[in-house]
């Protein structure tokens, strides 16, 4: 008998997540109900935002419940279907999360076309990651030709796409990342104009000033904290700051103490706004078309870091907070049949 | 011979402004050139934003130069004119600032109609003050019927108008002010739903939570600092935060350290934006018409605190930072002839 291995939230992390926060459990293979199909997980996504849902506090997405499967972006193959619109063998993306099998409503699944892009792109550049970068830049950042864009967490999955969108529209793009290897990748492979290593820059504010001789028009922020304090000191009048993530504060148990940005926003008539991908669902098709076109034209590249084995999911997730990963962090669970 | 008494910036304040930062000087009566008229100051305005212009740092308005007359909202009477569009005796508003007389370009003057509203209203509810509240609410705050609006610095000139605009559109309005007298005024005279005295509330966050059972949709912020930290903890999804002032930080010499709001903006997909009245000049006519209509209908009231005597201008300005003033702070320099 096939069992369904699952990972559940055993306890809410205090500070950085640890192995003890996760439990492996075994459940019987789920039985699809009417309107559902049985899918087998091929790849799953681990993302920084999931840390937020592990807290029991008010946020845009409800907190994960204890002892329930952790939900997130997933790609799989239909292994059993009596629904007309999906057949056995179809590749699909959805949000069933950290488990080997799931019975999923067909309306919560999207078909994957591997002629368009490699399967894993549907969890990355063509998936929630790419769309997050796209809408943050399109709706809030609005970079223009000749402007200066700074991206923090630039070697992360979202950051590297946000920066490339800046280059596509003709902006000067300055990235901030956490290793010389990442900096070299962003500069040499992705065409960022300058990339700063925050771990070795002893004065980030001075480094930003030098890297942005015309000031900062768009700051696409994935990290928050001291790095943001340094960037915000150099924003221009009418700067736009899409808040995509605040990874430096996700593991904090207390309020995030540092430089209040309000005076800088006030004196520069700047805009800072948090955004949620779920608010843009009506425009996903448009966003995917734009991203897909740029990928085909070779204007948009992406990087994946794939860990092999379902058992290594907690480890892959925890690695997001050590700043080691370059690009999208995935876990490969199985090969398609 | 008539002399022109002027107040110049003698030195840049470090911390709170003091009498020593200002010098009284005497200049000869200016001679209007072609396109100019000679005006005699009747009322002048002292405003918190002026503290920002006394710093020698980048901002939306250039810093005041040392040993030059301090510019700001002013009302006066034309005493000499060879220009066709202005006659001797006309009442005008402009920005010639802290001096008894000035030769001003007619294009920088607006005629005042005292049949429409009392003369001093043109420095307050119908002037830059009222327009600041109007555009902050109209363009950024966008309060809706049934929403909750919180206004800090609610007994200040801008704050009390912003709060009343909230009431006009049907929102629940919670003010924050610095004395029981001010709180009573806002509640009883202006119809605010709740007004909190930040000097006697020992737990502002709990007080805000209680005053805003449905959370905070719009936070019109005049003060920043700890008060804002407390309000921001209770913002709702898609909250809007017009940054109008940060009076708590104007006198700080160091970066403003406190709660970084980014995580709250992110998890609530909230918008925070600084704004500058000068960006709305094309809509001033529309704004004045709206404000004037509300004043005539009795929906919008305003309060003025008038100090008598040009010599007391520095004192009136310094008083803005002690939190003593209710409504618009003006200095009466002379009566019209």
């Amino acid at each position: 008998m096939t069992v369904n291995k699952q990972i559940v939230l055993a306890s809410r992390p205090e500070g950085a997540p640890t192995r003890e926060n996760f439990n492996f459990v075994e459940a019987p293979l789920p039985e699809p109900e009417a309107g559902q199909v049985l899918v087998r997980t091929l790849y799953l996504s681990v993302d920084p935002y999931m840390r937020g849902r592990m807290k029991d506090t008010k946020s845009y997405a409800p907190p994960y419940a204890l002892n329930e499967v952790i939900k997130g972006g997933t790609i799989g193959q239909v292994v059993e279907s009596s629904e007309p619109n999906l057949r056995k063998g179809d590749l699909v993306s959805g949000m069933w999360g950290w488990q080997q099998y799931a019975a999923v409503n067909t309306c919560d699944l999207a078909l994957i076309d591997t002629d368009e892009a490699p399967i894993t792109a549907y969890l990355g550049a063509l998936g929630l990651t790419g769309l997050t970068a796209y809408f943050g830049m399109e709706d809030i950042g609005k970079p223009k030709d000749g402007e200066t864009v700074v991206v923090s967490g630039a070697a992360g999955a979202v950051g590297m796409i946000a920066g490339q969108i800046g280059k596509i529209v003709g902006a000067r793009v300055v990235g901030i990342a956490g290793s010389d290897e990442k900096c070299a990748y962003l500069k040499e492979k992705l065409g960022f104009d300058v990339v700063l290593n925050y771990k070795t820059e002893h004065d980030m504010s001075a480094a930003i000033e030098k890297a942005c001789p015309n000031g900062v028009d768009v700051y696409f922020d994935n990290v928050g904290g001291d790095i943001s304090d340094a960037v915000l000191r150099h924003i221009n009048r009418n700067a736009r700051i899409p808040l995509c993530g605040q990874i430096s504060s996700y593991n904090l148990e207390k309020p995030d103490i540092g430089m209040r940005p309000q005076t800088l926003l006030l004196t520069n008539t700047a805009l800072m706004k948090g955004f949620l991908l779920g608010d843009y669902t009506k425009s996903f098709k448009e966003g995917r078309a734009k991203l897909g076109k740029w990928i085909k034209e070779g204007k948009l590249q992406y990087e994946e870091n794939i860990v092999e084995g379902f058992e290594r999911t907690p480890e892959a997730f925890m690695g997001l907070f050590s700043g080691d990963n370059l690009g999208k962090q995935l876990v490969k669970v199985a090969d398609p049949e």
Side-chain angles (χ1 to χ4, degrees), chain A residues 34-37 80-88 90 106 111:
Chain A
Q36 294 188 326
V37 296
E80 191 186 319
S81 173
S82 50
E83 294 299 313
N85 51 343
L86 284 176
R87 288 172 309 177
K88 186 175 170 179
D90 281 348
T106 59
L111 257 178

Side-chain angles (χ1 to χ4, degrees), chain A residues 94-328:
Chain A
M95 295 289 290
W96 63 91
W98 297 7
Q99 52 188 331
Q100 290 180 310
Y101 292 89
V104 188
N105 295 321
T106 59
C107 60
D108 293 329
L109 294 170
L111 257 178
I112 282 175
D113 180 356
T114 51
D115 291 339
E116 282 292 305
I119 183 169
T120 51
Y122 290 85
L123 280 180
L126 278 177
L128 306 186
T129 305
L131 291 169
T132 298
Y134 179 79
F135 291 111
M137 288 297 259
E138 174 79 9
D139 190 48
I140 305 171
K142 296 180 178 168
K144 289 193 280 285
D145 187 12
E147 287 193 326
T148 299
V149 172
V150 174
V151 180
S152 63
V158 176
M160 66 172 63
I161 294 176
Q164 289 179 87
I165 292 174
K167 289 306 304 173
I168 289 168
V169 303
R172 175 179 179 83
V173 175
V174 174
I176 304 172
S179 75
D180 288 343
E181 191 192 346
K182 290 178 181 178
C183 292
Y185 170 81
L186 294 172
K187 200 160 184 301
E188 286 154 27
K189 293 280 167 62
L190 303 189
F192 280 47
D193 294 281
V194 179
V195 189
L196 303 171
N197 180 346
Y198 70 86
K199 291 191 179 162
T200 54
E201 286 291 346
H202 64 283
D203 183 344
M204 267 307 281
S205 176
I208 291 287
E209 188 168 24
K210 193 178 158 201
C212 306
N214 299 318
V216 177
D217 300 295
V218 177
Y219 174 41
F220 191 98
D221 183 19
N222 290 296
V223 306
D226 295 340
I227 290 174
S228 287
D229 294 356
V231 177
L232 292 168
R233 286 194 180 94
H234 304 286
I235 54 172
N236 287 332
R237 180 118 141 72
N238 296 326
R240 290 83 66 195
I241 301 146
L243 296 174
C244 179
Q246 295 282 292
I247 200 167
S248 69
S249 78
Y250 291 168
N251 291 333
L252 295 178
E253 291 300 305
K254 294 178 181 171
D256 185 14
I257 300 301
M259 186 190 80
R260 291 191 186 102
Q262 282 96 323
T263 298
L264 289 165
L265 299 177
L266 175 63
T267 55
N268 292 293
T269 60
L271 175 151
M272 180 178 268
K273 188 174 182 326
F275 69 101
L276 171 63
L277 188 58
D279 289 342
Y280 297 97
T281 46
K282 284 183 182 164
S283 307
F284 274 13
K285 203 175 160 186
E286 165 212 321
R288 280 213 173 91
K290 228 27 166 330
L291 292 162
K293 181 171 167 282
W294 288 332
I295 291 172
K296 281 194 174 168
E297 293 172 351
K299 291 178 179 168
L300 188 63
Q301 299 175 64
Y302 56 92
E303 198 73 17
E304 292 162 345
N305 186 26
I306 302 180
V307 162
E308 301 251 352
F310 183 68
E311 288 70 20
R312 293 176 66 194
T313 302
E315 171 196 331
F317 176 69
M318 293 183 289
L320 296 174
F321 302 94
S322 61
D324 293 339
N325 57 312
L326 177 69
K328 181 69 182 172

